[in-house]
Amino acid sequence: MRNLIRFHIFLLLSLGVLSCKQTPSQGNSEKQDQEKKAAANEEAQGNKEAYLFVYFEGTGKGELQEQLRFAVSADAQNWKALNNNQPIISSDRISNSGGIRDPHILRNNDEFFMVATDMFTVKNGWGSNPGIVLMRSKNLTDWKTNAIDFRKEYPKTFKNVKWVWAPQTFYDKDKDKYLVYFTIRFSGQDNLDFYSAYANKGFSGFESEPTLMFRAKYGAIDGDIIYKDSLYHFFYKGNTKNEKGEEIKNGIQQAVSKSLEGPWKEDFKYLDSYADTNTVVEGSSVFKLNNSDEYILMYDLYSSGRYEFQRSKDLFHFSEETESFTKDFFPRHGSVIGITKEEAKRLDKKWGGVPKELLNEEE
């Protein structure tokens, strides 16, 4: 009997040891997969020779403005609209409202992810909007799309939501997931807070109900997260209020954190060159220049019909003098990614309009 008990104890211990040995192996395998994805993404980033600007239009017929458009540039400063500045996808095909605003594009491992505000102000005004649009593509020309109506999907928490604005996507490499974040305002409240949720595997919805991500002291809109030197930089349009709660200043600010989960430390300094003037800006977006250590902070001067930018190498200090884009369109709140020449040619084949220098085989 004792021998039998000893045998069982030995067997259990052996199984325990085997189980312990499997866990590190599985962990190493997952880590290797993440490292391979990171290496592939880094290699892809090094091949960029052009830029893609996604935006909605600020001029022309009202019913055609809140539509998704593309433009391409060889140098991120001189831009040409694709498809004669006509929509590349009709908003009534991809949204619940019939319009989209504030499109944001992300690339990762040669896949592309877009999100946009589901809102058609020409038809429905500014009273409220139902949610956001999610889009995914492997080639920039064919897109799978889905619209999320927050009141219907999450009635318990968001039945009184008024605005779901300016969504963006950030790839969380630690979790190998895509975090979608956006500004929320509820009816009867003044707060403008950032909420977030991880997208599901198909990028057609969320894994779970969105939760509060960050609450700026005076509220904020148009968030944009950039990771650099072990810090997450959260750019947004913020403001300053006096003792009476009246807004006395607004412009582009940022908060930083060592984790996407926070806490976020606000820096109340204004980064844009117009904060001390009567010129207002919004819709800031930061992108890194191809094969460079320089970043571009661009923003929408929506009341004056201009789009300008400033430069930085550390994301804390920006050039004081603004620069302007040369373009044949009038963009509103959009975003930019780097693309390859092959991708530029693919876009030209689909819609036309890509600058000739990107189509020249000799270059």
Side-chain angles (χ1 to χ4, degrees):
M1 177 63 74
R2 289 180 180 177
N3 289 336
L4 184 60
I5 292 173
R6 287 173 183 168
F7 173 75
H8 281 295
I9 292 173
F10 173 77
L11 184 62
L12 289 171
L13 287 172
S14 299
L15 289 172
V17 170
L18 287 173
S19 176
C20 290
K21 286 182 178 179
Q22 287 174 346
T23 303
S25 175
Q26 292 171 345
N28 289 336
S29 177
E30 291 177 0
K31 185 177 181 180
Q32 288 172 357
D33 288 343
Q34 290 180 356
E35 288 175 349
K36 286 180 180 178
K37 289 181 179 179
N41 193 42
E42 187 173 341
E43 181 180 355
Q45 295 296 336
N47 296 328
K48 306 299 178 293
E49 299 177 87
Y51 301 87
L52 173 66
F53 190 166
V54 303
Y55 62 98
F56 71 104
E57 177 62 30
T59 61
K61 294 182 179 180
E63 61 270 19
L64 292 179
Q65 290 182 18
E66 292 166 316
Q67 307 265 348
L68 180 63
R69 289 169 166 84
F70 283 176
V72 169
S73 172
D75 60 7
Q77 191 162 358
N78 299 285
W79 295 90
K80 290 291 184 181
L82 303 190
N83 201 31
N84 294 314
N85 198 30
Q86 294 302 303
I88 61 122
I89 300 176
S90 177
S91 289
D92 58 13
R93 287 177 49 196
I94 61 176
S95 68
N96 287 319
S97 67
I100 66 97
R101 301 173 65 89
D102 321 313
H104 174 264
I105 188 167
L106 170 77
R107 77 173 300 152
N108 188 53
N109 297 326
D110 287 329
E111 279 197 274
F112 305 91
F113 304 85
M114 270 200 292
V115 288
T117 305
D118 189 343
M119 194 170 194
F120 194 14
T121 62
V122 172
K123 178 182 177 182
N124 305 317
W126 291 89
S128 65
N129 72 295
I132 65 175
V133 175
L134 281 73
M135 306 174 65
R136 183 176 189 172
S137 174
K138 291 186 177 181
N139 58 14
L140 288 173
T141 58
D142 302 292
W143 294 87
K144 295 180 179 180
T145 72
N146 191 52
I148 301 177
D149 186 323
F150 277 55
R151 298 186 192 97
K152 292 181 179 179
E153 293 289 335
Y154 309 105
K156 184 177 180 180
T157 301
F158 293 98
K159 65 179 180 180
N160 293 321
V161 71
K162 181 177 182 179
W163 293 332
V164 188
W165 278 5
Q168 296 208 173
T169 307
F170 185 89
Y171 174 63
D172 184 344
K173 64 180 181 180
D174 293 330
K175 295 185 178 181
D176 192 22
K177 294 181 181 181
Y178 295 91
L179 183 72
V180 182
Y181 55 99
F182 35 82
T183 297
I184 288 286
R185 184 174 186 176
F186 291 97
S187 296
Q189 297 183 15
D190 293 330
N191 292 353
L192 287 166
D193 300 323
F194 291 107
Y195 278 66
S196 66
Y198 283 101
N200 58 25
K201 289 185 178 180
F203 203 74
S204 60
F206 301 136
E207 286 186 340
S208 58
E209 183 177 276
T211 57
L212 180 66
M213 180 184 187
F214 169 52
R215 173 172 288 164
K217 182 177 181 179
Y218 297 117
I221 61 173
D222 300 340
D224 183 28
I225 298 175
I226 304 293
Y227 183 73
K228 176 177 169 54
D229 298 334
S230 301
L231 272 181
Y232 295 92
H233 296 254
F234 202 144
F235 296 91
Y236 50 84
K237 180 178 180 178
N239 64 92
T240 304
K241 291 183 171 65
N242 61 21
E243 295 178 354
K244 297 179 181 180
E246 300 168 331
E247 182 178 300
I248 56 175
K249 191 175 182 179
N250 65 63
I252 309 304
Q253 298 176 316
Q254 74 166 308
V256 295
S257 175
K258 293 182 179 180
S259 169
L260 278 173
E261 298 176 356
W264 296 93
K265 182 180 179 181
E266 292 183 70
D267 183 350
F268 295 97
K269 178 179 70 175
Y270 288 91
L271 303 174
D272 65 281
S273 296
Y274 293 99
D276 292 316
T277 73
N278 292 325
T279 301
V280 288
V281 307
E282 67 178 17
S284 65
S285 182
V286 177
F287 65 94
K288 193 172 185 289
L289 292 177
N290 296 334
N291 307 308
S292 171
D293 60 354
E294 197 166 51
Y295 290 82
I296 298 297
L297 166 66
M298 67 178 192
Y299 41 76
D300 180 1
L301 288 79
Y302 59 95
S303 66
S304 54
R306 307 200 312 273
Y307 223 101
E308 297 182 354
F309 64 93
Q310 296 167 238
R311 301 174 185 264
S312 176
K313 290 188 176 181
D314 62 7
L315 296 183
F316 287 106
H317 305 90
F318 290 82
S319 56
E320 294 183 5
E321 294 294 324
T322 63
E323 299 176 67
S324 298
F325 294 123
T326 300
K327 49 188 172 50
D328 56 357
F329 55 100
F330 294 89
R332 296 294 316 279
H333 188 180
S335 58
V336 171
I337 59 168
I339 59 173
T340 66
K341 276 191 175 182
E342 289 304 313
E343 289 163 347
K345 292 174 183 177
R346 188 186 308 147
L347 290 167
D348 188 73
K349 185 177 180 180
K350 178 79 171 184
W351 290 295
V354 169
K356 291 182 179 179
E357 62 262 37
L358 293 172
L359 304 177
N360 191 335
E361 296 293 343
E362 295 179 359
E363 294 185 4

